[in-house]
Structures are given as C-alpha cells and as structure tokens.
Amino acid sequence: MGFKSDWKQATPYLGFCVFTFCWTNVIFGLDTSTFGSLQALPSWLNQFGTNGSLTTLQKALANSIVYVGRFAGTLTFEPIAERYGYKVLLAAIASVQVVSVIIQLASGNFNTFIAGRTISYVAVGWIDGTISSYASEIAPAALRGFFSGLLAPMANLASVWGAGMCQHYATETHKVGWMVPIGIQLIPVVMIAICWPFTVESPRWLLSHDRDDQALAALKKLRRKDDVDAGLCEVELEAIAYAIQYDKTHATARWRDLFTNTAYKQTIYTILFFFFYPSTGNAFYNAYGTTFFKSLGLGNAAFTYAILCQLLGAIGGTTGLLLTDRVGRRPLLIIGSALLVLFDGLAAGLASKSVRTTTDNNVVVACWMLMLWSAKLSWATHAYIVVPEMGGIRMRKKLVMVGTTVDVLGNWLWGFAAPYIQLADATKGPKIGYLFMGFAGMALIFAIFFAPELKGRSLEEVDEMFQKFRWGWEYKGYKTTGVGAAVAQAEHGELANTKEVADGAEVDEKNVTGTQVQVNLV
C-alpha cells in the first residue's frame, strides 16, 4: 500500500488515544533532562550537594538508585496490564507522579530528594511497557511503527523543554532555581487527567478477557467510518479472536516459554535491542551530558549545548518515526549504528587531546549532538517499535517486560559506573567515548545480519516468521500463511480469508461469512 492509502487508515480518535498515552513519556523526558542539568545548577547543588558540589559517590547514587524504582515498575507492568488493562495503568502512572513531585519539592536533603525521584521511576517503569504495547495493539499494521514509536519523540521534546528551563536558571542560587523545573513535571499529569476518561481500552485486551461487545465498540471508535460501515471491524476483530483462541489452544504464556524454539530468538533479540539502546552513549548523556560539557571547560554554555543536543535528539527521533513505516526498521538501524561508530569515536579522539582549540571543542559538541541524533534515529526509537511487535498474542507483554528490564539494568549500570570508569586511564574523561564506539560497532553487526524487518506485519503473524532462523534481510520477503496472515489482511482493509491458517489445517469460515458481502463491496 502507498503512503496516502496507509494514512487514510488513521483517524483523529486513534491519534487522540495514542497521544494521551504518549503524554506519560513527557514525565520521563522532563525528569532525565532536568536532573541531568540540576547536577550543574548552583541552586540545587547549594542545597543537596556537599560544599556546593557532588562527590563521586553521590553522582553514582543519584544517577543509579532511581532505577530500583524503575525496575519495580518493569517487573509489575506485565501482571498489572494483563489483569487490569492499560487504562488502569495510565491512571496509576499519573497518581504516582503526583506523589513523587510533592516529595521532591518538600525534601530538605539529598536522600529524600533521590527517594522522591525513585518513586517517580516506578511510574517510568510502567510507562516503558504501557505506551508501546497499547499503541501497537490499537494501530493498523501499516502505521504501527509511527504510533508505537511516538513515545521517543515525546520524551525528546520534553527533554528540550527541561533543558531550556534549567538554562534559564543557570546562575540562580535560590531555591526557585530547582523548584520550578521540578514543579513543571505536574503539567503532563494534568493533561492525562483531562484526557484519560475519553480514551478506550485496547480491543485486543478486551477480547482476551471475553469482553467482546466492548472490544467491538472500542475498535469501531478507532477505525474509519467507511471501514465501520463496511463491516471490516467485525472481520478484523473476528480474525483477532480466532488468533487468540488458536494461541490459547496451541501455546502457553509461562516465563519459561520465552526460551522455547519459537520464542527464544525473539527473547535474545529483545535483550540486544534494549542493550544497544543505552550502551551506545544515550544513557551516559542523559545522566551526565551537561556536567560532561562543563568538564570540557565550556562553562555556562554547557546548558545551551544541552538544549541543542536534546533538540537534535528530538529531530532524530521524529525522523526515524516518520521513515520507519516507509523505508523499514532495518535500514534505519544500520544507518544509525554506522553513524554512532563515527561520532562516538571522533568525539572521544578530539576530546582526549591534551590541548584543544575552540574548533576542537565545537567539533566535540557537534559530534555529541549528532551522536544523540543517530541514537534516536535508530535504537532509542526502534527498541520500542520492534520489540512490542514480537511475541505473538500472549508473550508480547512478557517480551516488553524483559526488554525494559534490560534497559533499566543498562541505565543503572552506566549511571552508577560511569564516574568510576572515567577514573581509569584507558577511559578517563572523554575517552569513555571509545567504549561507546565499541558497542556501536557490535550494534552495527547485529543490525546488518540479524535485526528483523517487521514493517507492515500484523502482531499475530510474527511468531510464524520466527519459527526457524532467518537472516535479517530474509524477513522482508517472507510470506506468511498462518492465522496472522488473516489478521494482517483485515488490518490492511482487505478481506480476511481464514482458510488454511493453522499450519495448513482448514478452519470453519464462519468468522467472515457474515461480512463477506459488505467487504467485497468496498
């Protein structure tokens, strides 16, 4: 299908629901960019630092212990989402954020402030899984990459916002210099509270909990009026219902099933996607970007550079989002990884010179900006696009939970270990960029040879594609014949033919006969 025909499947209400859920990632974007800059703000350091600065231990704890909260969020995401649904999680995220901000604003010492952030990161752990899973379940296959990946640009734009606020208070020494950036984090909560009642639960979730009438009503709100009038919603829902029933009959959803013949490759790929995401420089910049620029001797200009870096990151994420359903996932991963190798290595080489000119410093800053652009173009965006596309019907939430757990551990490791890594001669100061370059090289190899291309696929047909090993370039041309193919046809607005969908076995066509005439008219 072409670009115009793909986007004809989008509706204003679909966009409203996805954007409402994506607003939660503004919480994460504001927090990371704000705290990255707070560590260089005199107002915050005067109250929470030691003699106006942070010790190495305080830096390590401030940027790592919050991931205990995020880890708790990722561990509880799957059981909460499975039992209560995505809308309940959305309300819980907003409630936890309110508590967190109140604690941070009322804190009088370093430990209490970090405890408040840690509570917020429970919500961040839920956000990681909730947005991408919800968006991937309600979006048509042709637009799934765009809607699933929206969470990354939302965080990136929020990061620009947070960095800009901190730049305004770069020389402020009173409490207002850090309290305003923290208090602003309640704005996305207000937006969620206003929009939340008007969203719908995922039709796939409703179907899996035997709430068929509600599922049909929700799907009709999300799809075009022409498709609703033609009966395509019934076709799509019935194909999904059959896929759910087939999966319940032929598969299980135990944790050990992540390592079965069909799922183990998806599990390994999930781990690698979320390993490369923080390990190519993204996690280090989020924690230490502004202070790193200051260590290069850039002074208060470091805050301005932080804004520009976040802005380039937002542009990179948006570029990836707009292109992923056009050119595919793999090309963007390959290009982004190659650029990460280049910019990580070049920044490390120039910044490691004993004597740097102004031109050298400008090139280093430019490399960091382009590094962030490349990371957002590739792994930062596509980890949340590709992983929620894998796992079939019952294992998808577990794979998302595995991936976000790896992300949490990776961010925790870089947040805690980076100050100590930089004390060693081989990775001292900016030389840590060579380490990121090495991981970017590994990411490039994986992207070329193994990364699957899932553009335009239905969620239900991916398991069939992983039934045996395939090189990355083989996924694009693979033609599915199982039950997922019927769902894909329905999602693309075509007649879903459910014959010969279950490993070649004939299936009763009662699922579609009731709407065949209407669909053929379309």
Side-chain angles (χ1 to χ4, degrees):
M1 299 178 73
F3 179 81
K4 290 184 178 180
S5 56
D6 287 346
W7 275 98
K8 283 182 179 179
Q9 299 179 64
T11 65
Y13 187 72
L14 172 65
F16 167 78
C17 290
V18 174
F19 272 101
T20 298
F21 273 77
C22 284
W23 257 104
T24 59
N25 217 32
V26 173
I27 294 172
F28 176 60
L30 278 176
D31 177 88
T32 53
S33 66
T34 298
F35 192 70
S37 296
L38 281 182
Q39 296 169 80
L41 286 180
S43 58
W44 191 84
L45 290 172
N46 289 341
Q47 181 159 352
F48 299 107
T50 302
N51 298 322
S53 63
L54 294 180
T55 65
T56 301
L57 178 60
Q58 283 180 316
K59 287 181 181 179
L61 290 176
N63 290 285
S64 63
I65 201 168
V66 293
Y67 288 100
V68 173
R70 191 171 178 181
F71 187 59
T74 58
L75 288 181
T76 54
F77 157 71
E78 193 269 345
I80 294 175
E82 185 61 33
R83 182 168 182 177
Y84 299 106
Y86 298 113
K87 285 193 68 173
V88 170
L89 263 175
L90 184 62
I93 288 167
S95 301
V96 169
Q97 180 64 8
V98 171
V99 174
S100 168
V101 171
I102 291 173
I103 291 175
Q104 290 178 70
L105 291 174
S107 60
N109 57 67
F110 177 84
N111 292 335
T112 305
F113 186 90
I114 298 304
R117 279 194 78 219
T118 303
I119 292 173
S120 175
Y121 269 59
V122 175
V124 171
W126 291 336
I127 290 169
D128 289 340
T130 301
I131 300 175
S132 56
S133 297
Y134 177 80
S136 68
E137 290 190 13
I138 71 171
L143 301 175
R144 181 167 295 118
F146 176 84
F147 284 110
S148 297
L150 267 177
L151 81 169
M154 296 295 281
N156 298 338
L157 292 172
S159 295
V160 177
W161 180 11
M165 285 190 299
C166 290
Q167 195 275 340
H168 179 73
Y169 293 106
T171 58
E172 177 63 58
T173 58
H174 296 90
K175 286 184 177 181
V176 67
W178 66 266
M179 294 187 77
V180 170
I182 295 298
I184 289 296
Q185 294 179 28
L186 287 175
I187 290 180
V189 176
V190 174
M191 295 294 297
I192 294 167
I194 293 172
C195 299
W196 177 82
F198 305 102
T199 60
V200 294
E201 184 57 80
S202 162
R204 279 180 168 86
W205 185 88
L206 292 168
L207 265 183
S208 66
H209 288 75
D210 300 320
R211 294 159 66 174
D212 296 14
D213 292 341
Q214 294 179 46
L216 181 59
L219 191 62
K220 285 183 175 180
K221 288 183 177 181
L222 294 166
R223 297 296 182 254
R224 297 182 307 167
K225 185 178 184 301
D226 289 347
D227 293 343
V228 174
D229 293 341
L232 283 176
C233 291
E234 285 82 358
V235 173
E236 181 178 351
L237 209 63
E238 287 166 355
I240 294 172
Y242 176 80
I244 292 173
Q245 186 59 45
Y246 177 82
D247 188 78
K248 287 181 178 179
T249 304
H250 294 79
T252 58
R254 300 166 297 188
W255 281 104
R256 66 185 183 187
D257 294 321
L258 288 171
F259 303 98
T260 59
N261 288 337
T262 300
Y264 83 93
K265 290 188 291 294
Q266 299 178 65
T267 303
I268 293 173
Y269 288 2
T270 294
I271 292 172
L272 289 174
F273 264 91
F274 278 95
F275 171 77
F276 292 133
Y277 169 25
S279 299
T280 51
N282 191 72
F284 177 81
Y285 179 80
N286 284 340
Y288 301 106
T290 307
T291 54
F292 175 77
F293 287 151
K294 275 204 163 187
S295 71
L296 296 178
L298 299 175
N300 285 336
F303 293 97
T304 302
Y305 292 138
I307 297 173
L308 294 175
C309 277
Q310 295 293 1
L311 183 60
L312 261 292
I315 294 173
T318 304
T319 303
L321 192 64
L322 294 174
L323 291 178
T324 189
D325 286 320
R326 301 299 301 154
V327 304
R329 287 43 161 164
R330 290 187 69 250
L332 297 176
L333 290 172
I334 293 171
I335 293 170
S337 299
L339 292 175
L340 282 168
V341 173
L342 172 63
F343 296 130
D344 282 334
L346 185 58
L350 287 173
S352 301
K353 293 170 64 175
S354 57
V355 178
R356 291 188 305 275
T357 65
T358 302
T359 301
D360 289 336
N361 282 337
N362 290 338
V363 174
V364 170
V365 172
C367 285
W368 274 84
M369 293 179 184
L370 293 170
M371 178 276 291
L372 208 60
W373 183 89
S374 304
K376 302 300 184 183
L377 176 75
S378 53
W379 301 100
T381 298
H382 286 85
Y384 289 101
I385 292 177
V386 177
V387 170
E389 291 179 319
M390 297 192 294
I393 298 163
R394 308 184 72 197
M395 301 302 294
R396 185 166 56 253
K397 294 186 185 71
K398 284 184 168 58
L399 280 181
V400 170
M401 183 172 162
V402 168
T404 53
T405 300
V406 173
D407 181 32
V408 168
L409 294 175
N411 278 279
W412 169 82
L413 180 63
W414 285 113
F416 184 83
Y420 296 99
I421 291 174
Q422 292 186 291
L423 296 177
D425 288 337
T427 52
K428 189 175 183 62
K431 290 181 182 179
I432 195 171
Y434 290 126
L435 197 56
F436 302 143
M437 183 179 69
F439 287 123
M442 295 167 57
L444 178 60
I445 294 172
F446 172 75
I448 293 173
F449 292 100
F450 304 106
E453 181 56 76
L454 303 179
K455 177 175 74 78
R457 300 289 185 173
S458 76
L459 298 177
E460 287 74 18
E461 65 182 324
V462 173
D463 271 350
E464 180 184 339
M465 299 169 68
F466 277 91
Q467 284 180 354
K468 69 175 185 178
F469 173 79
R470 288 184 171 84
W471 295 106
W473 54 83
E474 294 180 322
Y475 288 89
K476 183 177 180 180
Y478 181 78
K479 184 175 178 59
T480 58
T481 58
V483 65
V487 179
Q489 285 182 308
E491 287 188 343
H492 284 290
E494 302 167 4
L495 176 61
N497 180 7
T498 55
K499 270 202 175 286
E500 300 179 358
V501 295
D503 296 327
E506 288 194 356
V507 180
D508 187 356
E509 284 193 81
K510 65 182 180 65
N511 287 325
V512 296
T513 52
T515 56
Q516 268 186 339
V517 174
Q518 291 175 302
V519 174
N520 284 331
L521 285 175
V522 177

